[in-house]
Amino acid sequence: MISTLIGLSAATLTMFSFIPQIARALRTKSVKDVSPVTLFQLSLGVCLWIIYGVLRKDPVIITANVVTLISLGILIFLFFKYGREK
Amino acid sequence: MISTLIGLSAATLTMFSFIPQIARALRTKSVKDVSPVTLFQLSLGVCLWIIYGVLRKDPVIITANVVTLISLGILIFLFFKYGREK
């Protein structure tokens, strides 16, 4: 079904979307223009999406948001690491 | 139902998550640490989510992703505006 294929492509693109941001932070060792509020707000939202996925027993929602949460966790770690070094 | 409430909170938090990033970019007039690949990859993914929402006739998916797409559009505009000024 075409909509499933589009949904899967959408999920794949969005769940890995912070990998380039992590790569950039690691390369430049600078994260000062990245908003920490955005990172924390997104992380909280993504946590709620995971709970929603668990309650609805939806493995696609769970998987996509766990991947996003891990990348956001790495970014928050880098934010504090590089933020403190300056 | 509790899962609907959690889903709505999740959607609200994530769809407005780039507003603080826009505010920061406007304040600092600097976006050099923001990954353009992340912005474009997310925008493409969010476009596919909108198509998915339209095909599935799901107004929540459509609304959440249209709001995200608008904020990403503003961020991409600021990325090029401030990127060129440097």
Side-chain angles (χ1 to χ4, degrees):
Chain A
M1 205 173 162
I2 186 80
S3 72
T4 307
L5 205 74
I6 290 175
L8 280 177
S9 314
T12 308
L13 278 170
T14 50
M15 80 179 157
F16 292 114
S17 61
F18 290 100
I19 306 293
Q21 181 65 68
I22 292 171
R24 188 181 184 98
L26 287 171
R27 200 172 62 239
T28 64
K29 300 202 188 324
S30 172
V31 285
K32 72 167 182 49
D33 296 334
V34 177
S35 163
V37 185
T38 286
L39 295 181
F40 282 108
Q41 185 176 330
L42 253 181
S43 300
L44 182 61
V46 162
C47 283
L48 290 180
W49 275 125
I50 294 171
I51 298 172
Y52 179 79
V54 170
L55 290 173
R56 289 289 178 102
K57 297 186 175 43
D58 186 325
V60 175
I61 293 185
I62 299 171
T63 311
N65 285 287
V66 165
V67 171
T68 309
L69 190 62
I70 293 169
S71 6
L72 286 169
I74 297 172
L75 262 181
I76 289 173
F77 170 78
L78 293 177
F79 184 85
F80 285 105
K81 180 173 153 70
Y82 296 140
R84 272 185 196 169
E85 282 172 3
K86 301 278 147 163
Chain B
M1 202 172 164
I2 186 80
S3 72
T4 306
L5 207 72
I6 291 176
L8 280 177
S9 314
T12 308
L13 278 169
T14 51
M15 79 179 158
F16 292 113
S17 62
F18 290 101
I19 306 293
Q21 180 65 69
I22 291 172
R24 187 182 185 97
L26 287 171
R27 201 171 62 239
T28 63
K29 300 201 188 328
S30 173
V31 286
K32 71 168 182 49
D33 296 334
V34 177
S35 164
V37 185
T38 285
L39 295 181
F40 282 109
Q41 185 176 329
L42 254 182
S43 301
L44 183 60
V46 163
C47 283
L48 290 180
W49 275 125
I50 295 170
I51 297 171
Y52 179 79
V54 170
L55 290 174
R56 290 289 177 103
K57 299 186 176 43
D58 186 325
V60 176
I61 294 184
I62 298 172
T63 311
N65 284 287
V66 165
V67 171
T68 309
L69 189 62
I70 293 169
S71 7
L72 286 170
I74 297 171
L75 262 182
I76 289 173
F77 170 77
L78 294 176
F79 184 86
F80 284 106
K81 180 172 153 70
Y82 296 140
R84 273 186 196 167
E85 281 171 4
K86 301 279 146 159

